[in-house]
Amino acid sequence: MSKRKITIAVSGLNNIDSPGPGIPVIRALKDSELFEIRIIGLSYDTMEPGIYMHDLVDKTYQIPLPSAGQQSLITRLTYIHQQEKIDVLIPNFDAELFNFIKLQDMLKKMGIDTFLPTLEQFEERQKWALNTFGEKYGIKVPKSKQINSTAEIHALTHEFGYPLVVKGKFYDATVAYSPDQAMAAFNKISSKWGLPIIIQQYTPGIEVNLTGIGDGKGNLIGAVPMRKTYITDKGKAWAGIALEDETLMNIARNMLKGNKWRGGFELEMIKTDKREYYLIEINPRFPAWVYLAVGAGQNHPEALVRLALGEDVKPYESYESGKMFIRYSYDKIVDLKEFETISTLGEL
Amino acid sequence: MKLLKNIALSDTGFVFNPGNGDSFSVNPIGLSILKDLQEGKSEDAIRNRVVEDYQTDKETIEKDLYDFLKMIEQFNLTDYHE
């Protein structure tokens, strides 16, 4: 069967020690048996390694930071589309999703398909709304609240006790064992990601995660649970293993029946000694370890492209547990000319 | 005591729990005990089988078997509901 030629734009090319999902998504797409894919990288920083990984990314364009707003983003995307005729666009950063969700109808009119959660789906799983989310969909969630100043930290001793978890609104989380540590974590995280800061009750147990994709009609098209087996000092998985976990799969199925999630997502859960599951976070996009799903037999990014193109996609019925991933670092040699080109022209 | 249904036992002594991703290595005696548990044998039956196979005193076997079974329970290899 001949492969269909298609052009896909992908962001999240920061394949660094705290990696974005872009490169794993691209690897998954390159493994597709249905599509022959030309990849257009969308980058925010000239040091994103994916820009220079020409075996995976055919051409990269810089795009404006999410804070620049939707108008400058659509202007830039219009230019890129004129050059490349993009068929499907897959954004991979939490912070950019709001803009892309808002622009999806405009993109569709231009001929660019996306498969994103609705704004309501995106908003109701925000960290600061997770308790309400848990109540709505019958999922246990550790008690949490948002704070906006360090003056609120003293009251946490009585309300939460220590340890507790201090989290940024998009990224970063630190376990604090004292008010001093909570204060330091507040300052560090808020200086990077802004306010509010989310305080979450510490739940002892093992962290289990699930990468999945919903079709927007209440069906779970694919899902693979994973446990991190080696964690970096930034709390990121350096190695992980696909699990057989029917309870977690059922939590995902039930959640999707309720909220009809559209697109890729990641559930981050804590499994306690009593084998209870607590939801600590939902990421509204594929995680950086999504390539493990491909290794285990489910190509979620390929399924997302098919859904974006309006195709009828049947749910995956199985995957292979026990498949592992181990990341590695690699020194990519880059000619100064390439760095100069992306820095000055904004494309490479 | 029952071993969790999905525990994978390899003849090399590699034990894998696909439910939580844990893996262990056991020696041949440990592997034979885990296989017995997987087949649903009772603790008494396992003890008698080990005493017979290794021709040592029952007290030593009893103590070591008790320690081993407690250890696999702690490592979440046994059925929680049993």
Side-chain angles (χ1 to χ4, degrees):
Chain A
M1 192 174 71
S2 66
K3 292 184 179 183
R4 279 184 281 165
K5 288 190 177 177
I6 185 169
T7 300
I8 302 180
V10 180
S11 68
L13 306 183
N14 55 329
N15 208 43
I16 54 173
D17 59 342
S18 175
I23 293 300
V25 164
I26 292 167
R27 286 185 68 203
L29 295 173
K30 291 280 184 184
D31 281 2
S32 172
E33 290 179 2
L34 302 172
F35 301 110
E36 185 183 324
I37 298 169
R38 175 171 161 80
I39 295 290
I40 303 302
L42 304 175
S43 67
Y44 291 100
D45 190 293
T46 52
M47 283 297 173
E48 291 179 26
I51 299 169
Y52 308 98
M53 297 167 78
H54 304 305
D55 51 335
L56 291 173
V57 182
D58 296 284
K59 173 108 191 218
T60 299
Y61 292 84
Q62 296 269 52
I63 57 171
L65 286 167
S67 55
Q70 289 154 33
Q71 189 53 52
S72 55
L73 178 60
I74 197 72
T75 304
R76 182 63 173 155
L77 289 174
T78 303
Y79 166 78
I80 298 168
H81 187 49
Q82 281 166 355
Q83 313 303 311
E84 305 293 347
K85 290 201 71 64
I86 298 165
D87 295 298
V88 176
L89 191 153
I90 307 177
N92 286 301
F93 282 124
D94 298 14
E96 69 184 358
L97 273 178
F98 179 83
N99 284 343
F100 279 105
I101 290 170
K102 284 284 195 184
L103 292 173
Q104 61 183 321
D105 290 343
M106 211 180 282
L107 291 170
K108 178 81 182 163
K109 278 181 192 157
M110 288 163 59
I112 302 174
D113 288 311
T114 55
F115 201 73
L116 300 170
T118 65
L119 198 56
E120 187 194 354
Q121 290 168 350
F122 178 74
E123 289 297 339
E124 74 173 0
R125 53 89 248 168
Q126 294 280 19
K127 290 180 195 179
W128 52 86
L130 214 52
N131 286 113
T132 312
F133 183 91
E135 282 167 25
K136 189 171 173 186
Y137 299 109
I139 305 171
K140 288 183 181 144
V141 177
K143 180 180 164 186
S144 58
K145 73 179 284 193
Q146 54 175 311
I147 61 172
N148 287 288
S149 101
T150 50
E152 295 176 76
I153 286 175
H154 286 294
L156 300 176
T157 308
H158 182 65
E159 199 177 340
F160 285 81
Y162 283 89
L164 50 76
V165 187
V166 183
K167 303 178 103 172
K169 67 174 172 180
F170 292 124
Y171 303 102
D172 276 353
T174 302
V175 178
Y177 292 87
S178 67
D180 282 349
Q181 287 184 6
M183 197 88 77
F186 180 101
N187 288 328
K188 188 178 169 201
I189 296 172
S190 63
S191 67
K192 195 168 179 190
W193 299 111
L195 295 170
I197 289 291
I198 292 91
I199 302 297
Q200 201 170 64
Q201 193 170 42
Y202 177 75
T203 308
I206 62 163
E207 186 180 333
V208 285
N209 299 333
L210 177 143
T211 182
I213 174 168
D215 67 357
K217 297 171 188 164
N219 301 308
L220 184 65
I221 295 299
V224 175
M226 179 277 292
R227 178 185 170 192
K228 296 172 185 174
T229 51
Y230 190 100
I231 300 173
T232 68
D233 55 1
K234 290 192 173 173
K236 302 295 167 187
W238 198 256
I241 188 162
L243 303 178
E244 190 180 301
D245 192 329
E246 203 47 35
T247 309
L248 186 49
M249 294 290 278
N250 281 332
I251 289 171
R253 282 189 200 105
N254 290 335
M255 183 189 86
L256 260 70
K257 264 184 204 152
N259 73 354
K260 298 186 169 40
W261 185 266
R262 196 168 182 272
F265 66 93
E266 180 192 24
L267 297 182
E268 295 185 6
M269 316 269 309
I270 297 288
K271 183 180 174 184
T272 69
D273 288 348
K274 292 179 181 171
R275 302 184 191 181
E276 292 177 321
Y277 290 73
Y278 284 85
L279 177 67
I280 51 171
E281 207 163 308
I282 302 177
N283 289 315
R285 37 119 191 120
F286 291 130
W289 58 272
V290 67
Y291 194 73
L292 177 66
V294 182
Q298 298 191 357
N299 193 330
H300 295 176
E302 180 195 67
L304 185 132
V305 169
R306 294 185 63 208
L307 287 164
L309 293 170
E311 295 178 12
D312 182 33
V313 180
K314 297 272 178 290
Y316 282 105
E317 288 175 354
S318 63
Y319 62 89
E320 194 179 339
S321 64
K323 280 283 181 187
M324 299 169 63
F325 75 88
I326 301 176
R327 291 200 175 126
Y328 65 97
S329 54
Y330 184 93
D331 296 346
K332 180 96 186 140
I333 303 301
V334 175
D335 283 335
L336 185 63
K337 191 71 189 164
E338 291 198 322
F339 180 67
E340 179 192 322
T341 306
I342 188 75
S343 301
T344 54
L345 301 179
E347 53 189 87
L348 179 67
Chain B
M1 178 184 281
K2 271 189 179 171
L3 212 57
L4 281 170
K5 277 180 192 159
N6 54 0
I7 298 297
L9 301 178
S10 157
D11 287 342
T12 59
F14 186 77
V15 181
F16 173 59
N17 180 353
N20 61 16
D22 283 342
S23 57
F24 309 90
S25 288
V26 291
N27 64 16
I29 304 178
L31 182 62
S32 70
I33 294 168
L34 292 177
K35 282 183 172 171
D36 284 349
L37 286 169
Q38 207 166 43
E39 288 166 12
K41 287 185 184 164
S42 69
E43 287 171 42
D44 281 349
I46 296 171
R47 187 185 56 233
N48 293 339
R49 197 266 303 159
V50 176
V51 169
E52 203 168 294
D53 283 359
Y54 293 92
Q55 294 177 350
T56 185
D57 64 285
K58 202 173 167 182
E59 288 70 31
T60 304
I61 294 290
E62 206 147 70
K63 179 184 163 297
D64 289 353
L65 182 63
Y66 177 82
D67 286 349
F68 184 72
L69 294 178
K70 277 289 160 203
M71 190 168 67
I72 63 170
E73 199 177 310
Q74 278 174 8
F75 287 151
N76 297 311
L77 291 169
T78 55
D79 197 326
Y80 190 66
H81 301 293
E82 289 296 315

